Amino acid sequence: MKIGFCFIVKHNIEYENIWARFFQKYSPSQYGIYVHPKHLHGFECNIDNVNVTENWVKTDWGARSLTQASINVLQDAVDDGCDYLVLLAGDTVPICSFNDILNMSSHSAFATYPCPAPASKRVMHARWRGTSREFKEKYPIERWVKQNMFFSMLAEDFNTIISAGMWANHFPRTRITDEHFFINSCKFLNISYKELPNLVVCSHKKCPGMDIVNNQIHQFMNYYLDYSEEEKLYTLQVRRKTPKGWNIGPVKTTVPVNTYFLRKVRAISPELNDRLGENYDNL
């Protein structure tokens, strides 16, 4: 089993030392790292076994190009012999072990969003209307699902989606599709998958614009990594813009223990780096 860790990055893969520790006990034959950077010039990475895509496309936030970039970097992993694919962002930190990924590699997995607000429903309906006539006839809007854009997938399922012409023939040319393409393609083609709501969790999911400082995230990870309870309550340091300027204060939220990756981490202390390394080594 070879796992492809596929990154869509804005600048670089952050926290390289943590990722290097994550991979250190494993042979390059067991994994590959594949990257689609937003800018080819200036991208640097000091982790071993990194492959930068040759099928680079210019990307914009919320544009169809992001899905094309995802397809390209996933295809790189498949072409390099990977059996299982994990799509991630450059600001992601693994809070699971390599074996945890191996253990879930029997199926594709997505995090889906609950029933959206009316405005989001209108957006989703617009995405569905932009699909091909054949797609709409076989796949009513009631089946349409929105996913987290980061997910994991069997290479076999990816090949089925591409060979069926889902991207080339059925999805709109100009509309946002990065959170709709893969999961709805699976449903359309009757490809089974597992829902993992905590596959990738944003560290500021409930509070956009916040910064996590070293001691807060260190405290969180120390509680989190003992795996002793179903959920852990932790405190984040949050920056909020108020009429009087920026206000910093604590906010409490929860992250389920079965989270695999944490996104949008703003700061990691040396102590946390060591704590994560111990976790990777011991699991």
Side-chain angles (χ1 to χ4, degrees):
M1 171 67 69
K2 183 177 181 180
I3 300 177
F5 292 83
C6 305
F7 289 87
I8 301 292
V9 306
K10 188 173 183 179
H11 301 295
N12 296 295
I13 297 176
E14 301 179 33
Y15 310 114
E16 290 182 357
N17 56 339
I18 288 179
W19 280 105
R21 189 80 175 263
F22 180 80
F23 291 119
Q24 69 177 354
K25 295 198 300 182
Y26 297 91
S27 164
S29 64
Q30 294 177 278
Y31 73 93
I33 302 169
Y34 309 89
V35 182
H36 187 292
K38 185 171 181 62
H39 306 288
L40 282 175
H41 299 291
F43 173 78
E44 296 180 359
C45 188
N46 296 312
I47 311 173
D48 294 335
N49 212 19
V50 172
N51 306 272
V52 180
T53 186
E54 295 181 0
N55 299 308
W56 183 86
V57 294
K58 184 180 182 298
T59 58
D60 294 301
W61 183 86
R64 191 176 192 272
S65 55
L66 273 177
T67 310
Q68 185 65 66
S70 300
I71 290 173
N72 290 356
V73 74
L74 292 168
Q75 186 67 62
D76 289 344
V78 171
D79 292 345
D80 198 35
C82 291
D83 306 291
Y84 196 68
L85 319 170
V86 183
L87 187 66
L88 299 167
D91 59 1
T92 303
V93 171
I95 53 175
C96 61
S97 70
F98 192 93
N99 281 331
D100 289 330
I101 307 301
L102 286 173
N103 290 337
M104 73 173 189
S105 61
S106 61
H107 49 259
S108 297
F110 297 93
T112 58
Y113 292 102
C115 185
S120 296
K121 282 186 177 180
R122 290 193 293 271
V123 172
M124 289 176 68
H125 198 278
R127 306 291 175 263
W128 174 82
R129 286 200 311 270
T131 59
S132 69
R133 178 180 297 180
E134 178 187 355
F135 186 94
K136 289 193 288 289
E137 289 175 350
K138 295 181 179 180
Y139 193 87
I141 183 62
E142 290 77 17
R143 295 187 65 194
W144 191 257
V145 178
K146 183 180 180 182
Q147 65 172 76
N148 187 306
M149 69 175 291
F150 300 104
F151 58 90
S152 61
M153 177 168 280
L154 287 165
E156 178 183 357
D157 293 345
F158 175 81
N159 286 334
T160 299
I161 289 170
I162 298 305
S163 62
M166 296 302 298
W167 184 240
N169 301 325
H170 292 300
F171 276 73
R173 297 290 179 181
T174 57
R175 299 181 187 273
I176 301 173
T177 55
D178 65 330
E179 294 177 328
H180 300 98
F181 172 65
F182 288 98
I183 193 167
N184 289 292
S185 293
C186 285
K187 290 168 71 69
F188 181 79
L189 296 170
N190 295 315
I191 296 172
S192 63
Y193 61 87
K194 185 174 182 178
E195 289 201 26
L196 285 180
N198 310 307
L199 178 61
V200 180
V201 171
C202 285
S203 59
H204 72 327
K205 186 175 181 180
K206 297 187 178 182
C207 305
M210 77 181 181
D211 278 338
I212 304 177
V213 297
N214 285 353
N215 60 335
Q216 276 78 20
I217 192 169
H218 187 210
Q219 178 185 12
F220 158 60
M221 295 302 294
N222 273 321
Y223 282 122
Y224 185 90
L225 290 175
D226 64 18
Y227 293 88
S228 60
E229 296 180 15
E230 292 184 359
E231 288 187 335
K232 289 294 184 181
L233 189 67
Y234 68 101
T235 302
L236 302 175
Q237 195 78 0
V238 179
R239 296 177 69 229
R240 288 197 189 90
K241 194 171 185 179
T242 69
K244 295 183 179 181
W246 287 98
N247 179 42
I248 299 179
V251 169
K252 292 183 178 179
T253 187
T254 58
V255 170
V257 165
N258 61 345
T259 300
Y260 288 82
F261 300 98
L262 191 66
R263 273 202 69 207
K264 299 191 177 179
V265 175
R266 298 302 182 215
I268 290 185
S269 65
E271 294 82 7
L272 173 58
N273 182 38
D274 291 340
R275 184 75 176 86
L276 284 168
E278 292 170 8
N279 182 57
Y280 306 146
D281 293 343
N282 295 331
L283 290 180

